[in-house]
């Protein structure tokens, strides 16, 4: 059963705990960049938030966080160019209590927007966040979760800027073929797919950097399971 979470947005933002103060080295600094544009309806948004909650409560994910020596994480939502917002700033996760609390905080936070889709703006914001983070020795990774299938090459420019800054971008494309999407105010017709699909778009224009990879979610209900697989792989790379 999907847990009930708040799906409204506006000024009544739930207040999360203050960010943890970095107390030691962590091998990985990870920005979880999540698409909340209007192609993601209210029910799908609930599934995304529940996916984050369950992934960070997963025993294998927690064990891998501990084995890696911890991870610094931040959760950021984006839709249009003027709607990129850090929902949860940097947290250092060392074990079960930290990881579970982080997942619950994501699930409880209200939706920040539901506009057009400007992935390139989200990538630039996440890049700045990593470059300016208090974890200069950590591997820097942006984890993009989106059902966007095409954006006219805009994301590739931001991707290249991130890679030049030493950042790896991994992808979690959500396969959704019946949604109408709006990219910077331009409508993409229902069921639109590039010739090589959403995953092809991610491989070509989104992911990049040292060790970059993607994990596909078959649909929004599969998001949590796909996120779990992705986190395990990212943590294992950082551990090694």
């Amino acid at each position: 059963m999907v847990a009930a979470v708040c799906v409204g947005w506006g000024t009544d933002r739930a207040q999360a705990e203050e960010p943890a103060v970095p107390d030691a080295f962590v091998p990985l600094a990870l920005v979880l960049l999540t698409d909340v544009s209007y192609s993601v309806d209210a029910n799908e948004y609930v599934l995304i938030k529940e996916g984050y909650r369950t992934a960070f409560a997963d025993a294998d994910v927690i064990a891998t966080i501990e084995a890696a020596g911890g991870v610094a994480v931040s959760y950021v939502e984006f839709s249009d160019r003027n709607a990129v917002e850090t929902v949860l700033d940097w947290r250092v996760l060392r074990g079960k209590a930290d990881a579970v609390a982080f997942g619950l905080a994501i699930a409880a936070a209200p939706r920040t927007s539901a506009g057009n889709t400007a992935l390139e703006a989200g990538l630039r914001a996440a890049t700045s966040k990593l470059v300016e983070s208090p974890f200069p020795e950590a591997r820097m990774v942006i984890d993009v979760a989106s059902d966007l299938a095409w954006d006219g090459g805009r994301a590739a420019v931001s991707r290249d800027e991130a890679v030049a800054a030493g950042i790896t971008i991994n992808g979690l494309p959500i396969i959704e073929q019946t949604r109408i999407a709006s990219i910077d105010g331009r409508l993409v017709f229902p069921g639109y797919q590039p010739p090589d699909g959403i995953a092809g778009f991610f491989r070509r224009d989104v992911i990049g950097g040292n060790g970059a990879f993607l994990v596909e979610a078959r649909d929004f209900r599969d998001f949590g399971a796909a996120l779990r697989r992705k986190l395990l792989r990212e943590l294992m790379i950082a551990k090694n």
Side-chain angles (χ1 to χ4, degrees):
M1 180 179 294
V2 174
V5 299
C6 178
V7 296
W9 58 88
T11 58
D12 296 327
R13 180 78 52 79
Q15 295 297 313
E17 296 178 2
E18 287 297 314
V21 176
D23 57 357
F25 169 79
V26 290
L28 175 65
L30 176 63
V31 174
L32 301 165
L33 182 64
T34 303
D35 183 354
V36 295
S37 59
Y38 84 80
S39 64
V40 179
D41 67 27
N43 291 330
E44 291 163 348
Y45 184 71
V46 169
L47 292 169
I48 287 174
K49 299 301 278 296
E50 176 66 3
Y52 276 112
R53 187 193 68 78
T54 58
F56 279 96
D58 179 80
D60 290 336
V61 170
I62 291 167
T64 309
I65 289 172
E66 293 171 344
V71 57
V73 287
S74 179
Y75 174 73
V76 177
E77 292 185 345
F78 76 94
S79 58
D80 61 43
R81 293 178 183 274
N82 299 312
V84 182
E85 190 154 355
T86 297
V87 178
L88 296 175
D89 212 339
W90 292 114
R91 305 287 193 274
V92 175
L93 312 184
R94 298 288 186 190
K96 181 176 180 179
D98 298 332
V100 170
F102 183 72
L104 288 171
I106 292 178
R111 187 171 185 159
T112 56
S113 64
N116 298 321
T117 312
L119 175 55
E120 80 281 4
L123 287 172
R124 286 195 177 99
T127 296
S128 295
K129 193 167 195 62
L130 282 165
V131 169
E132 298 167 3
S133 86
F135 310 99
E137 298 180 20
R139 173 178 169 85
M140 299 185 293
V141 175
I142 300 171
D143 187 345
V144 179
S146 175
D147 65 344
L148 182 64
W150 172 82
D151 76 345
R154 293 173 177 82
V157 176
S158 296
R159 182 268 315 278
D160 293 344
E161 293 171 353
V163 171
I167 294 168
T168 296
I169 302 175
N170 296 328
L172 204 168
I174 306 167
I175 310 305
E176 176 59 54
Q177 301 185 27
T178 61
R179 187 68 52 217
I180 298 175
S182 181
I183 301 166
D184 292 338
R186 295 183 300 120
L187 200 63
V188 177
F189 295 104
Y192 173 82
Q193 292 280 338
D196 48 359
I198 294 176
F201 163 68
F202 266 69
R203 289 190 182 96
R204 184 177 60 255
D205 286 2
V206 180
I207 70 171
N210 183 28
F213 67 92
L214 63 81
V215 174
E216 298 179 40
R218 296 186 301 273
D219 53 30
F220 283 90
R221 292 190 177 277
D222 185 45
F223 179 80
L227 175 63
R228 173 188 176 276
R229 297 193 302 273
K230 193 165 186 297
L231 289 171
L232 288 172
R233 185 168 174 181
E234 283 163 340
L235 289 161
M236 287 301 296
I237 291 172
K239 177 177 178 289
N240 296 327

